[in-house]
Amino acid sequence: MVNDVGLAEEFAQEALVKALERWPADGVPDRPGAWLTTVAKNKAIDYLRRQKRQIPPLETAEEPADVLDLIFAACHPALSRESKLALTLRVVGGLSTAEIARAFLTPEPTIAQRIVRAKRTLSEQKLSKLDPDELDARLRDVLEVLYLIFNEGYSATAGDDWMRPELCQDAMRMGRMLAVLAPNHSEVHALVALMELQASRMRARTDKNGRPILLDEQNRGRWDHLLIQRGLQALKKATKPGNYQLQAAIAACHARARTAEETDWPEIARLYGELAQRTGSPVVELNRAVALSRAGHPDAALQLVGELEEDLSDYPHWSAVQGDVLELLGRRSEARQAFLRAAELTRNEREREVMLARARKSGVP
């Protein structure tokens, strides 16, 4: 309506402030999202009147499809890929600059600059609903946005909670819609499969007090087997090899294992190797190191972890994996130091608790 991302954010914030003022007294409306959208649009209409511009009609309240349209609009071809992703995660996904920086392993000031530049660039463009002919061109970026939103929900960057389930639900809902809009795109189905399979474990990932439970210790009877079946069915539709297809295949290996001991770690290591060749990602290589260690090759895993130090030394999961492999090798004192380093680096309180507990469990004073 206003063709300005910055203004749109301001109107959204004003709507939230009004909700904080009204809802405690009047009660939460039946459709809070619709209420907020209507208030924000009314703010925009008032602004347009003051600017003496033509007033667009007040549309129906925002639904998930409108959010998906907004993601496609923000993935505008005038922006660089990095700027598209940063802006969309900030404006649509609601992630903080710190959370986005963590997703990209990039300094916060760099992400902040990308967002500012993206807003400035979009203010010079005419934003509109997606033309169906542009679907393919923007689809890759949209998939990555949904992937990053889901990941932030699955393992929160910072704060007191291990997970943010609402982000996972948003990403899954929009992914399912994308699968309807683009039924012939293998990677759309692959991403849906990956999210369904990962989300199937969420009920078992924390105890009743919200404390994390690591994969090997989870009660697999609490996994959501309906989501597992949906994920496996979506994976069958992902007929072409791709980054999300490989990740979904890895998640499927975990989902099919009735116990932790039955996990096919050699196959997971192989899949991570193929994914690493496609992406060149040091984080993927770090995950391959975990799989190698569990497949009976801890020495090779430790060597690989060492090779990744330059790229990932400030990444808390690098220290955590180093500690895990050192523990398998019986080098408990070194493992303890690695877990303490991971606890120092993480900004998530629950993750810090896990790392400190692992350090204590090493049995070294």
Side-chain angles (χ1 to χ4, degrees):
M1 291 176 67
V2 295
N3 198 37
D4 188 305
V5 175
L7 280 173
E9 280 191 304
E10 288 182 22
F11 298 143
Q13 291 296 327
E14 289 180 25
L16 289 168
V17 170
K18 190 168 184 179
L20 290 172
E21 295 171 348
R22 295 278 298 276
W23 292 1
D26 300 345
V28 178
D30 292 336
R31 299 176 62 204
W35 189 98
L36 290 166
T37 303
T38 299
V39 171
K41 287 182 176 179
N42 285 333
K43 297 284 185 183
I45 286 174
D46 291 341
Y47 168 81
L48 293 169
R49 285 191 176 122
R50 290 195 300 271
Q51 297 297 315
K52 297 181 181 180
R53 295 180 181 176
Q54 182 179 356
I55 303 173
L58 183 62
E59 300 174 359
T60 57
E62 183 175 321
E63 298 292 347
D66 297 314
V67 177
L68 199 56
D69 280 335
L70 181 56
I71 292 178
F72 273 102
C75 290
H76 197 282
L79 300 176
S80 69
R81 175 177 170 275
E82 292 78 12
S83 295
K84 291 175 190 176
L85 295 174
L87 178 66
T88 311
L89 290 170
R90 179 71 186 90
V91 176
V92 183
L95 273 63
S96 69
T97 304
E99 291 165 345
I100 300 168
R102 182 254 194 179
F104 288 112
L105 301 180
T106 302
E108 285 186 46
T110 302
I111 296 297
Q113 290 171 4
R114 287 178 187 173
I115 293 171
V116 169
R117 286 197 298 267
K119 289 179 181 179
R120 187 182 303 122
T121 300
L122 283 190
S123 69
E124 301 168 356
Q125 305 294 323
K126 177 63 178 176
L127 299 181
S128 62
K129 284 185 176 291
L130 179 72
D131 186 323
D133 293 337
E134 297 180 54
L135 179 65
D136 288 350
R138 301 198 196 181
L139 194 56
R140 185 190 70 171
D141 292 337
V142 172
L143 289 176
E144 189 163 1
V145 166
L146 297 184
Y147 173 73
L148 293 172
I149 291 174
F150 181 88
N151 280 352
E152 180 58 35
Y154 194 73
S155 298
T157 303
D160 298 328
D161 297 319
W162 180 242
M163 297 179 290
R164 297 169 63 182
E166 70 284 354
L167 289 179
C168 293
Q169 293 297 331
D170 286 344
M172 291 166 65
R173 183 172 64 251
M174 288 184 282
R176 292 166 185 155
M177 291 171 54
L178 262 186
V180 174
L181 291 172
N184 297 320
H185 287 267
S186 176
E187 282 287 76
V188 173
H189 295 293
L191 179 58
V192 171
L194 173 61
M195 293 191 293
E196 304 272 17
L197 291 169
Q198 293 285 80
S200 72
R201 304 199 292 262
M202 290 182 70
R203 287 187 308 202
R205 294 187 76 225
T206 56
D207 64 17
K208 62 182 180 180
N209 297 315
R211 290 189 292 262
I213 302 175
L214 299 180
L215 180 61
D216 287 351
E217 301 167 359
Q218 289 173 15
N219 176 359
R220 300 190 178 211
R222 297 197 66 206
W223 287 5
D224 189 324
H225 293 279
L226 176 59
L227 283 180
I228 290 174
Q229 291 305 313
R230 291 174 64 165
L232 294 176
Q233 287 298 319
L235 183 56
K236 290 180 181 179
K237 299 177 183 177
T239 55
K240 298 178 181 179
N243 294 352
Y244 300 121
Q245 189 267 347
L246 288 167
Q247 291 181 71
I250 291 167
C253 287
H254 291 295
R256 294 188 180 105
R258 292 172 297 177
T259 65
E261 292 73 24
E262 292 181 20
T263 305
D264 190 348
W265 285 110
E267 173 64 5
I268 292 174
R270 185 193 69 79
L271 289 167
Y272 270 127
E274 189 174 339
L275 184 62
Q277 288 182 345
R278 295 180 64 93
T279 65
S281 166
V283 174
V284 171
E285 286 281 54
L286 186 65
N287 287 328
R288 185 166 73 91
V290 174
L292 284 171
S293 69
R294 299 302 178 88
H297 306 288
D299 289 306
L302 187 61
Q303 180 179 342
L304 178 56
V305 170
E307 293 170 359
L308 297 170
E309 181 173 7
E310 184 176 351
D311 291 324
L312 298 178
S313 59
D314 291 332
Y315 182 49
H317 290 175
W318 180 84
S319 293
V321 171
Q322 184 188 45
D324 190 57
V325 177
L326 286 168
E327 196 169 57
L328 284 175
L329 290 168
R331 296 162 61 174
R332 303 177 73 84
S333 177
E334 294 170 87
R336 179 176 181 271
Q337 292 304 315
F339 290 135
L340 289 174
R341 171 68 172 161
E344 178 185 339
L345 288 171
T346 185
R347 297 177 60 185
N348 183 282
E349 289 302 319
R350 295 298 190 181
E351 188 171 58
R352 182 176 291 111
E353 290 173 8
V354 170
M355 293 301 108
L356 290 174
R358 296 207 67 183
R360 290 193 296 271
K361 191 176 179 181
S362 68
V364 179

